[in-house]
Every structure is written in C-alpha cells, then in structure tokens.
Amino acid sequence: MLMNMSSPTRTLAPHPDRLLPPDPQVRAVARTIYEAVRELPIISPHGHVHPRMLLDDEPFGDPTALLITPDHYVTRLLHASGVPLEELGVGQGALDESAARVAWRHLCSHWQVFAGTPVRYWLEQELAEIFDVDVQPSADTADDVYDRVAARLAQPQFRPRALFDRFGIEVLATTDDPVDDLAAHAKIAADESFRGRVLPTFRPDRHLEVAAPGWRAAADALADASGCSTDTYAGWVAAMENRRAHFAAHGGVSTDHSHIDVGSDVLDPADAERIYAAARAGTVDAAQGVALRRHMFTEMARMATEDGLTMTVHPASRRNHDRPTFERFGADQGHDIPVRVDFTDPLRPLLERYGNHPNLTLVLFTLDETSFSRELAPLAGYYPSVYVGQPWWFLDAPDAIRRWRSAITDTVGFSRTSGFIDDTRAFCSIPARHDMSRRLDAGHLAGLVADHRLDLDEATEIAVDTVAGLPRRVFGL
Amino acid sequence: MLMNMSSPTRTLAPHPDRLLPPDPQVRAVARTIYEAVRELPIISPHGHVHPRMLLDDEPFGDPTALLITPDHYVTRLLHASGVPLEELGVGQGALDESAARVAWRHLCSHWQVFAGTPVRYWLEQELAEIFDVDVQPSADTADDVYDRVAARLAQPQFRPRALFDRFGIEVLATTDDPVDDLAAHAKIAADESFRGRVLPTFRPDRHLEVAAPGWRAAADALADASGCSTDTYAGWVAAMENRRAHFAAHGGVSTDHSHIDVGSDVLDPADAERIYAAARAGTVDAAQGVALRRHMFTEMARMATEDGLTMTVHPASRRNHDRPTFERFGADQGHDIPVRVDFTDPLRPLLERYGNHPNLTLVLFTLDETSFSRELAPLAGYYPSVYVGQPWWFLDAPDAIRRWRSAITDTVGFSRTSGFIDDTRAFCSIPARHDMSRRLDAGHLAGLVADHRLDLDEATEIAVDTVAGLPRRVFGL
Amino acid sequence: MLMNMSSPTRTLAPHPDRLLPPDPQVRAVARTIYEAVRELPIISPHGHVHPRMLLDDEPFGDPTALLITPDHYVTRLLHASGVPLEELGVGQGALDESAARVAWRHLCSHWQVFAGTPVRYWLEQELAEIFDVDVQPSADTADDVYDRVAARLAQPQFRPRALFDRFGIEVLATTDDPVDDLAAHAKIAADESFRGRVLPTFRPDRHLEVAAPGWRAAADALADASGCSTDTYAGWVAAMENRRAHFAAHGGVSTDHSHIDVGSDVLDPADAERIYAAARAGTVDAAQGVALRRHMFTEMARMATEDGLTMTVHPASRRNHDRPTFERFGADQGHDIPVRVDFTDPLRPLLERYGNHPNLTLVLFTLDETSFSRELAPLAGYYPSVYVGQPWWFLDAPDAIRRWRSAITDTVGFSRTSGFIDDTRAFCSIPARHDMSRRLDAGHLAGLVADHRLDLDEATEIAVDTVAGLPRRVFGL
C-alpha cells in the first residue's frame, strides 16, 4: 500500500479536456465533437439504482453510505489493499458517524491505490462537480471532505429527485425480479410532481436455473405473482409471459440475462417437460438444469419477438468467487470474476430461429475482450437483431472503451452498437460515467477525423446519434 | 439506421495523408516511408477473383453487379441494417437497371452505417480514384453516382485487363478446386497480349472432409480429373499429388486450407485406410471424418515438402452460421462467423515432422486476434517454415492491422510475416487494400522511428522489402 | 532473410528519449518522470543467472558465449531465419575463436531480422553502453564488433562482480532446484568483498509432476537433500517443507511454479496418499499425476502461509514443442510455445482456502494476454494475496508492456502489480531490460497525465514506488 501521508494537499479540479486525445490538433477536433453532446440528456436503459430511492426521495445518509459501502467497485480494491469489508460498512447495517468516518478515512488514505482507475476518475468528478470538493482526498483531508459532502447531503437540493433532475437524466431503467409487483414504478409514474421516467427491467436469471438452491421457492413466488400455476412446464412458461406483460405494462422495455454461458440449444417439448417435472420434484441434476436454462434462453427470445422487449445479455461472470466471503456477506461484494466465453456456436440455435426476426433486439455484452472482434462484431454486422453492447463492468473504463471502439468499429461502424450503458448502482456516478463515454467517443471520432476516415461534420452527427439516437432505437424508447 | 437525407452533399476526396499517424513529426516520417512504396507493383498471392474475368475481358455489368451483389463485405452490413439480401441482388441473377438502381440506393442511403469501416474506406477510394466520383454517396446523390460509374464501365479502359494494368498488378492468384482443369489459367498464360501473371491456388477443403455431404461426388470428380482411382486411400492420396502437380505446372505456387481447426494428428496407415474405406462406403462418422481430415492436413505438408507449394491456412470460421439464409442463398453471404482457435498443440504433429524442413512454407492466418502474440508469433519466431499471415477478413482493417503489427513485431520483427494478402473477390478494391496496407505499415514503422527503435533508412528498407520482397520469398515467386 | 550487405555502416547510438511518447508535450512529461527513476538501484527478484557466475567471478568467454549461445531469445529468431542451432554454438561445448566468429557473423548479418524486437533493442543498448560499440552490427562490421567486445571482456572491469556493481543491482534472485545445497549462495553471502545480495528461488516443478519421466530419481534426491524419507506422501510433503526452510535460511524469498495450467483442486488425504504410492510404485497414470500436481500447488500455498515465501506462477508454456530438437539439444532452446490459460476457475480452490490469508503473496504471470483484463486484474483487484505479474517472456517487450498497462490499470491501478521482473539468463541484458521498463512506465504515466487522470507529482511518486517500493513489498525484501 502506498502512503502519501506527508504529501501536501492537492487540489481537486477535473480538467475540462480530460480524456481527450493529447495531440493538440486532434484534441481541438475532439473538443468540438464533445461540445455537441456534452449537455444532451442522459438515457440510462440498464442499471441497478433502486426505484424506492426515487419514490421515497429521502435524503441520502452519510458519505460512506452513499459512496462506499454499497459500491463494490470501491470496496473491492480497498479489500485487496487489506481493509476488511466490515470496516467499510459491508454487512453492518447503518453505521454511526464514527464508523462511517473510519470507512471514509480508509478510502481517502488509499486514494493513490485508485490512481489510474475509472473509480477514482468518477469519484473525483462526483466530489468536485456534485459536492464542490476542491481538495484531493488523502489521510490528511479525509475528515474535511467528509464534512463537506455530509453538509451537502443535508440540503434539499441533494435529495434523489433533485439530483436526478440536475444530472439531466431523461430515462432510468432499474433491474427487477419477475415477481416484483412494480408498485414503486407505478407510483413514480403516477406522481405528476416528478417528470423522470423510471422503467423496470425483467431479470429472470434465478428463475431459469432450475437446479440451483432456492429455485422451487422462486417458482412458487412466480405462480403467486402471475396467477399461473407453475406446477407444469407450460404453466411456468405462461407465468413468464404473464410477468413480461406486467413489466411491459409498467414501462419496461427490456429483459436482462446473466448466466455463465449463452448456450441456446432448444429441447424437444417432451424433454423440457420432463426436466421441468424433475425440477419441481427436486430430482433435477446440474446438467439437466443447464439444458433447460439454455432452452429457456431461446424461449425468452421467442417471447421477445412477441412482446418486443429488448434482450440484454451479460454472460460469463463467475459469481461469488470467494465462497467464504459470500457466505458471510452475501452477493455483489466485488468477487464476481469473469471467465472465457464463446458466442458464435452457443447462440446459433437462437439466431437460426429468431436472428432475422424484425421484432427481436439482442444486445450482447462481454467481460471477455477477445469476443469483440472475433464474435460480437461479426454477429452484429450480419444479424439485424444483434447489437454490440458497450463495455461493461471491469471494461467500463477509459482504456478498455478505447480498445472496444478500435476492435468494433472496423467491422460494424457505430450503428450496430448499443449506446452507453452505465449499469451502475452508484447513483451519483451516473453523470460522470456518461460524460466519460461522451469524451471517449469524441476522442475516438476525432481519431477517425485525424486519419481522414471521416470528416468533422459526419463525426459530430455520429456522436450525437450515439448519445441521443441509438439507445432510443435499441431499447424502443 | 442513421438517416442523412437532409444533409448537404459532401465532397469525396480521399486525403493524401489518410491513415498516417496524426502527430506532425511522425506523419512526416511516415510520409517519407510511404512514398518509397506507394507506386510499387501489386503482388496478390491469395484471393478470389475469377480467372474467367481476365480471360474473357468482358465489360463489367452495372455498378451494383460490380460493387455490391458479389461482395459480402458490403451486403452483410446492409443486411444487418434491415435491407433484404434479395434487394441487393443476391440470388437474383442479372438485375435489370431498375433493380440495380434500387440496390445502389440502398448502399448510398446507408452510407453512414459504413462510417469508420474499411469497406467504406475502400469504396471511397475506388469511387474517387477509379471512377472519378467527387461526391459522397447519399440518398440524394445515389443516382448521380450510379450514372457516373455506369458511364465509366461502358468505356474500354474500364475492362478487366485494362484495370489490371492500371492497378499495377504484377501477380494475381485465384483460388481453385483441385478438379479444375485450369484451362482459363492456361489460356491467359498463353495470351501474349496480356502480360499479367494469373496463378491458380489449390484448395482441397471439400475433398478432405470425408464425412461431409457431397464428398463422394468430390472423390469421383477427383478420380476423373487425375486419372487416379479414388477407390482406395492410396489412390486418393495419389490423386491429390497428381492434381497438385497439375496446379504447379500451371503456375500455382500455393495451396489453401480452411477448416474449423488446425489439428494435424497423424493416423496409422491402417487407420487412415479403414476410415477412407468407410467414407467410400458411406458409413463414416463425423469423428472419423475429423480424424482423417487432420491426418490429411499433415499429408498436405508432406506433399508440400516434395513439390514446394506454400501452404496457407485460414482456420476457424463457422461457415454459413445462419442456416435458413444459407439454404436460400448459398454460401459466402456474409454470415461466416469466427470461433476461437488454438495453434500450438494442434499443429505440433505436423511441425514435429516437417517444421524444420527447408522446403516447407506454412503461412498461418487467424480471425482470433488472441493467437497473434500467444501462438503465431512464437511459432513463426522459431520454426523456419512458419510465417504469420497478414490480418484477414474481419481483421483486414486499419485498427486491426495496427494491433497485429503491435502484437507481432515484438516477437518476430518483419521478416517472419507474409506480406499483404488481399484475399478479396472485389477486384476493384485490390489497389485500395494494398495501398491501405502500405500506409499502415509506413505508420507503424514511423512509430518505431519515433520510438528511436529504428532509423528512417532502415525503416524504409523494411517497408520496401515488405511489399516487394517478402511475398516473393514466402510464395516462391 | 533481408540482406543489407551493401548498406553503409550505421552508427549505434541509443537515443536518450527512446521509447518515450512521441508527442512533444507528453514526451516532456515522460522525461521528467523517467529522470526520477533512471538511476534507482535494480531489484531483480526473479531470473535465471547462475549463482556460480558471481561466486567464481571468472572472466566471461568470448562475445558469442556471452551474448548468443545461451540466450534462446537470440538463437530462436536466427533459427527461424535458417541458421542451424549448432552454428550458434548450441550443444557444442566451448567454441574455438573461429567457430565463435562464425556464430557472431550470423547474428550481425541477420541484424535486420531483429528490427523492431526487444532483443535488438537490448543488444543495442548492451553493445553501446557496456561495450562502447558505436556501429550497428552488420555483415561488414561483424568482426570489428566482435573484436571490440572481446577486448573489453578481457579487462577486469568486465568481470561478473564488477558488472554487477556497475549495473547498480541491489538484489538478484536465481532459480534453483529444491535439492540444491545452495552452497554457492552461502559463499557469496559470506564473502565480505562483495556487497550484492544473490538469493535463491525454490522451483519444485519437476518434483510435483509425479507421472513424468525422472520423477522417481527426483524424489530420491529430495529425500537425500532433506533427510526426510520420501517413501510416503507425508514424508514427501515434509521434505518439501524442509527444503523451503533451507531456501528461506539462505535468503530465499520466493518459490516459482510453471506448469501447463494453474489447477488447484484439493484431494482428500487418502487420495493424495494413494496416488503418491502409485507414483512411488511406478504405476501412476497421467491423469493421477495432474491431480496430485494440482493438489500440491495448493499445498505450496498452504506452506507459503506458514513460511511467508512469495509464490510466483508462470503457467501455460508448452515446453520443448519441437521434440526432435529437444532430443538433440535439450531444453530451453527457444521452442517453448504458449497455450491458452484460465485462472478464474482453476485457482478458485486455492483462493477459497488462502486468498485472504495475510501471509500469502501470489504473483500471477501469463503468456496469454487475454487474461490481463479478464481474469488477472479482477482477481488482483479483490484478493489481498494476488498481484499481477509484469509481462513475461514473449510479452516482455515495449508494445506488449504498453498493452498490459492499458489492460491492467483500469481495474487495479499500480499497487496490485509486481514491479518489473526481468526473468533473464542474459546477465548483460539486465540493465537494458529494467531501463526499458522504467521508460515505458514513464510513458504510460505521462499518458495518464496527458489524459488529466493524474498530476505529474503523483505520477512521479507512482513511478518511484513501482521501481523502489513494489518489488520490496511483493517479495518481502
């Protein structure tokens, strides 16, 4: 761990040209492109902000509860640096001020550990632009910065809805279980005092893993929510269709799928029924569970051709890699670790059936960069239904996004990509993340202008379309 | 899909410094290097132009028949954008002018979809430099551009042989089935009015997949062509040797191999004979077919050590991924999608036998960029027979070529690479593709000069050798 | 092969700004950062220099024996270029001057083959800065350069210990078999006339592959060295622990592990004993051998939590790919070829047990760049025990190191990396390799400054810590 205890206090002032290309001529071009998109509204069609936050509009708690404890992007690198998760508030319930300050000091005294990472880049922009902090966090400044953020959080203009407006968010999608009644979404939509669109996303993962612990209870809950008996395979499928319709009726525009692979082999109906019956009976084995999940993945595509919900796919993360920590603190604590993934052969059964269907939209994300040029761009460059998702999670970072544009653009240009997806649970990071993407796209497009592959006018049109057009088309907004 | 219908007409004028590095000092170095290779003759040792085109020297048909319908690089992204393949002329036979104009308008109105892709880069250069078009294609300019290209195509200097000369092509290799009599090649060679060298390439893929549909007929045709009975394994091998000799006698310098993997395990003679007999009897299974194909791959290397034909290997494309479209329109319609591939272990049996043989030349191409630094460069940096092929297909593009040079040069420098391979069926794109490669190599070398890893003199020598020396040595020209 | 026989003699003068970014403003920043680390002592915690070289301090032999024959980085590309290994001295014993000059002329006349490679970059710096050579090697200058280097080698200030001091090496680790008595290390440590630290590294690979030829003799030797009977599994484990203690007592700080994969599944004790007994009886099969090796890999981690030795892991190189050459010349002749490798799932059993143990340090290296962003950075960004190793072997090169920093920094910044590891047997290349790394890190950090992601002060602190702090912390020095 690096110590910078003796270093002088450093100012915090995000540079107006940050992330734009360093060559002066290219930077000037990038700046022009960036200016055209800088102030456009934010469309966030996939993420993990909780709808109750915007429904209740309660003031945020302390700085730690807002910026550290719930954000595994922040806690994971502190954990790697030797800070116990419990000292960051993980699994501790609400912290008292003293404990919150301890966690905050951990973050600030480890500031240099985050040097070069997007987490620090976002936090710096959040602190400076939202909370008017003008010094770099450090062991010395930790309490001052805490005080300044805490003071802001007590003011009404720092409540969730006020920030939502200030951030310029036009649409924000949440991620929800199929059994969710979506009451929060309905109330937000009915509240005329709030103009933001907050949309649910149908995420059926746990319902589709019939050999996993807890599945039986999930199927029962699905029956309750849908009014369709899930005693039979046909009823279970009908229950899914019912809940998708419920989501669509509440403004939902997409479903999200995050399994370890994207296999899509279709079962004979009799086999699907047989495996389903075994699942209900508690006698299903792991291989059967995989087979039914892959079959249902294609079923989800079939349903999408009927109800028009866009499918987003986020595969190949080994969830909860550190089992002892999972058992102690639960999921989403920063130790989901990517594994290799293939798309070409596993997706073929689905795409043979529905790949050319005019009503299907399939956005493919990956944590395995090798897919970019080898599989995702070739698939999206042929199938009208397929779009390449923006870099996600570990790849949602300046250099990774640059590599992605480089790997994708050669084959599919810009029109076959999803537009930026923040996929975050860190509400205050949303503007910084979208702004980062706009800067990087401006830089990439300026590079094409410098290469004389595009002229500035067209590059600017593409930048605007990437922010304002693509996400609307891809997500049917 | 982006619409630019209201946009003003944009001029089309490829910039003389396109693709050279943006930094002014580095660009100046790159320009010097590029000037040394700009006008050198084109050597195209692997591609898919049909020899009859040059034999018959008929005028090209309309712009659509020349630039759209037969080029799956163009049709695939239009298909992804929602244009039906039949409206692009695919599978329609000769189009009347009205239908040809419809297809052409699809391309022009989707021009922005191609922004940033090499397809647009090549087409822009073709339109500007071959056909004197000076406006960007768009919905508004589609008919004007069509008219201009059509008018040129009616002139004698736009016939195939005239363009061949104008393009500065010195050698052009075609790709041919082993049973081809090569009469077209013989007639071209005998025609004293045409100086270009047009060479056949022996591509035995369909003959080596003994468990695939149609193989039996292929083996019969091979017997007819060679005069060797293919009733036995020994006869079949002899037939291959016979046809390779026929190709060599007609100027052929290489064989081409494109299977899903590069396995090369050698069978015991009895096993090879047994599987072959099963194939003849129609009782072979898929696993046996794979085993015999891998064995024959090493047999091809053995033959290469005897007849000196260079082997080029283009593995790991899942052919005809979209089966319904394949059944309707046939192969090569833009939905061959790459899969992961390994070289190190699969090629070991072949390389243990022949990797150090002075008469073997093995050029390894890949659509899986992960092979570049991990396997291809290490293999080519040790085995005298192995060369790293230039980026191919989806990777035959500015950013991918830059990544390739970056990944390869550290381990093998320049001398273990193949020289540029256009691998195209789009005749008019050949100059643009070779020019693109020369620009990118000039840029890469200028980067090494800027890094002070090379001086300008030596960088220029290497650029010249890459264009004029390497392909001659690697292909024995 | 390129010939430059007629070219004029080129001067050899490594540029002071080599490898720094070309943009003038960014270069100025990089130069400032580089100046802060340029003269810092070299810490080399993993490599293959032989300790007897420093114990005996004999003059080096001729230039070929020093710079060509033992260095497979040099011989492999010459071999690929058609030079027989025996003409480079491989397997020939000491060469007479005539033969040494023949080898040297091969290197010099193939100088252009190495253009763009780090091997040439290092050799140029070695020749210029150690041996005062001021002309580029070529066919014409070969004998002159040979004479100049040979004359220097005869002088006392070119003996190993003098060079060790001149190179500014503070710590140099060797790589040693567990049965080595480490007498050389003990004598060097006891020699008050030499201040350098020369530390052993425990490398048990051949002892852990119980199904490999020669294992039985290895186990017997281990018994002799440790005084623990290796007749039983428990004894064998105790023997390992004993030898690790011997290494630690002689200054060893790490163990090194280089198997084809990083599987770490733990066996039941009874299964481990059963397989071990089969190995002793000579009846073990390959799959059992793999199972016991993976089990022992986790055992090594368990031992590391007890004795604190850092584990370095260098997996997934297919050793001695060219079997005929291996049989003739033995191992380490340049034909170890990388294969694909996974870390996430294979390492999970080990990390579940010991990943959060405060006494474990695990440095993961890879020859498969796809691991960088997909697995290594995510693992090191969560587990306190895991560090991402610097690029190794084929990837220990300017462009690969730049790609590595780009792929890693987004997720883990700088503090979760190992510091530079030269891993070389080419003693004279050590300063050039470390200097290269410092230049590239300065360039990368300058890029972050240009991106306005870091300020210059902090970038400089990080550069200094990367050279002077990280390797000490990661290797407990």
Side-chain angles (χ1 to χ4, degrees), chain A residues 300-321:
Chain A
M300 287 285 149
R302 192 263 305 157
M303 295 177 199
T305 65
E306 294 168 6
D307 62 24
L309 297 179
T310 292
M311 290 180 83
T312 64
V313 187
H314 292 89
S317 176
R318 182 66 65 199
R319 303 284 174 180
N320 309 308
H321 190 268

Side-chain angles (χ1 to χ4, degrees), chain A residues 174-215:
Chain A
T174 62
T175 297
D176 310 275
D177 195 277
V179 305
D180 194 299
D181 63 8
L182 307 180
H185 294 83
K187 286 180 194 158
I188 294 169
D191 184 343
E192 296 189 356
S193 71
F194 181 60
R195 292 162 311 151
R197 290 176 67 186
V198 181
L199 312 178
T201 300
F202 182 86
R203 177 156 176 180
D205 294 354
R206 71 181 182 110
H207 295 272
L208 301 185
E209 298 279 11
V210 302
W215 175 78

Side-chain angles (χ1 to χ4, degrees), chain C residues 166-179:
Chain C
R166 178 171 160 197
F167 293 169
I169 301 175
E170 181 179 309
V171 178
L172 181 76
T174 63
T175 297
D176 310 275
D177 195 277
V179 305

Side-chain angles (χ1 to χ4, degrees), chain A residues 208-233:
Chain A
L208 301 185
E209 298 279 11
V210 302
W215 175 78
R216 171 91 201 199
D220 290 344
L222 190 69
D224 289 346
S226 66
C228 304
S229 164
T230 56
D231 288 348
T232 65
Y233 171 71

Side-chain angles (χ1 to χ4, degrees), chain B residues 23 25-26 340-345 347-348 351-353 356 370 373-375 377-385 387 403 405-416 444 448 450-455 457-458 461-462 465 473, chain C residues 1-2 4 7 10 15 17-20 22-24 27 76-77 79-82 85 112-113 115-118 120-121 318-325 333-335 337-340 367-370 394-395 397-400 402-403:
Chain B
D23 180 272
Q25 288 175 283
V26 186
R340 218 168 357 106
V341 66
D342 295 316
F343 290 90
T344 301
D345 285 340
L347 274 182
R348 196 176 187 187
L351 290 172
E352 282 185 341
R353 276 167 184 73
N356 294 313
T370 70
S373 70
R374 189 183 60 216
E375 301 178 50
L379 286 167
Y382 170 77
Y383 285 104
S385 58
Y387 290 81
R403 292 195 298 276
R405 281 279 179 217
S406 163
I408 288 291
T409 307
D410 277 342
T411 295
V412 294
F414 295 86
S415 70
R416 309 299 307 154
H444 178 75
L448 292 175
D451 259 6
H452 306 291
R453 286 195 267 173
L454 276 184
D455 67 23
D457 279 0
E458 191 172 357
E461 284 175 21
I462 290 170
D465 187 66
R473 294 197 297 276
Chain C
M1 189 190 73
L2 286 170
N4 60 355
S7 65
R10 290 181 167 131
H15 193 282
D17 285 340
R18 62 192 182 275
L19 298 183
L20 303 185
D23 180 273
R27 176 165 288 190
R76 69 193 312 278
L77 201 47
H79 178 261
S81 304
L85 288 176
Q112 200 165 96
V113 161
T117 70
R120 175 156 147 183
Y121 177 90
R318 182 66 66 200
R319 303 284 174 178
N320 309 308
H321 190 266
D322 179 8
R323 257 179 286 226
T325 297
Q333 296 308 336
H335 48 93
I337 309 287
V339 296
R340 214 162 10 97
L367 296 170
D368 178 350
E369 298 189 57
T370 72
F394 299 105
L395 303 178
D399 286 0
R402 288 167 176 156
R403 293 194 298 277

Side-chain angles (χ1 to χ4, degrees), chain B residues 97-405:
Chain B
E97 185 179 329
S98 164
R101 282 185 185 272
V102 166
W104 189 260
R105 284 182 208 123
H106 278 309
L107 174 62
C108 295
S109 65
H110 286 82
W111 202 241
Q112 199 163 97
V113 161
F114 291 90
T117 70
V119 175
R120 175 155 149 184
Y121 177 90
W122 298 324
L123 284 172
E124 287 188 358
Q125 184 167 336
E126 293 171 54
L127 291 172
E129 299 196 349
I130 305 175
F131 298 106
D132 288 320
V133 173
D134 57 6
V135 295
Q136 285 276 2
S138 71
D140 291 340
T141 64
D143 282 310
D144 285 351
V145 175
Y146 184 96
D147 291 341
R148 186 171 307 212
V149 175
R152 293 288 183 284
L153 291 178
Q155 299 172 358
Q157 63 269 39
F158 288 83
R159 290 201 177 185
R161 289 188 178 188
L163 289 177
F164 189 101
D165 288 342
R166 177 171 160 196
F167 294 168
I169 301 174
E170 181 179 310
V171 178
L172 181 76
T174 63
T175 297
D176 310 275
D177 195 276
V179 305
D180 195 298
D181 63 9
L182 306 180
H185 295 84
K187 285 181 193 157
I188 294 170
D191 185 342
E192 296 191 354
S193 71
F194 181 60
R195 291 162 312 151
R197 290 177 67 185
V198 181
L199 312 178
T201 300
F202 182 86
R203 177 154 176 182
D205 294 356
R206 71 180 183 111
H207 295 272
L208 302 185
E209 298 280 9
V210 301
W215 175 78
R216 170 94 200 197
D220 290 344
L222 191 67
D224 289 345
S226 66
C228 305
S229 165
T230 56
D231 288 348
T232 64
Y233 171 71
W236 184 56
V237 170
M240 295 284 183
E241 292 170 340
N242 173 287
R243 297 311 295 166
R244 292 174 62 109
H246 183 73
F247 273 64
H250 285 74
V253 296
S254 71
T255 70
D256 184 40
H257 307 272
S258 184
H259 302 285
I260 196 69
D261 63 52
V262 296
S264 65
D265 297 276
V266 174
L267 297 172
D268 285 338
D271 287 332
E273 287 166 18
R274 190 175 45 77
I275 294 173
Y276 188 81
R280 290 298 292 178
T283 61
V284 74
D285 65 27
Q288 291 173 315
V290 168
L292 189 59
R293 184 253 294 163
R294 291 177 178 168
H295 169 84
M296 284 304 294
F297 186 50
T298 297
E299 272 292 279
M300 286 287 150
R302 192 263 305 157
M303 294 178 202
T305 64
E306 293 168 8
D307 62 23
L309 297 180
T310 291
M311 291 180 84
T312 65
V313 187
H314 293 88
S317 177
R318 183 66 66 199
R319 302 284 175 179
N320 309 308
H321 190 266
D322 179 8
R323 258 179 284 226
T325 297
F326 170 63
E327 283 158 14
R328 189 158 161 218
F329 294 113
D332 297 324
Q333 296 307 336
H335 47 93
D336 296 352
I337 310 287
V339 296
R340 218 168 357 106
V341 66
D342 295 316
F343 290 90
T344 301
D345 285 340
L347 274 182
R348 196 176 187 187
L350 187 160
L351 290 172
E352 282 185 341
R353 276 167 184 73
Y354 307 117
N356 294 313
H357 195 289
N359 220 20
L360 181 66
T361 306
L362 188 61
V363 188
L364 302 176
F365 296 83
T366 188
L367 296 170
D368 179 351
E369 298 189 58
T370 70
S371 319
F372 289 164
S373 70
R374 189 183 60 216
E375 301 178 50
L376 296 190
L379 286 167
Y382 170 77
Y383 285 104
S385 58
V386 177
Y387 290 81
V388 184
Q390 279 268 149
W392 165 50
W393 206 339
F394 299 106
L395 303 178
D396 173 17
D399 286 0
I401 290 174
R402 289 168 175 156
R403 292 195 298 276
W404 175 77
R405 281 279 179 217

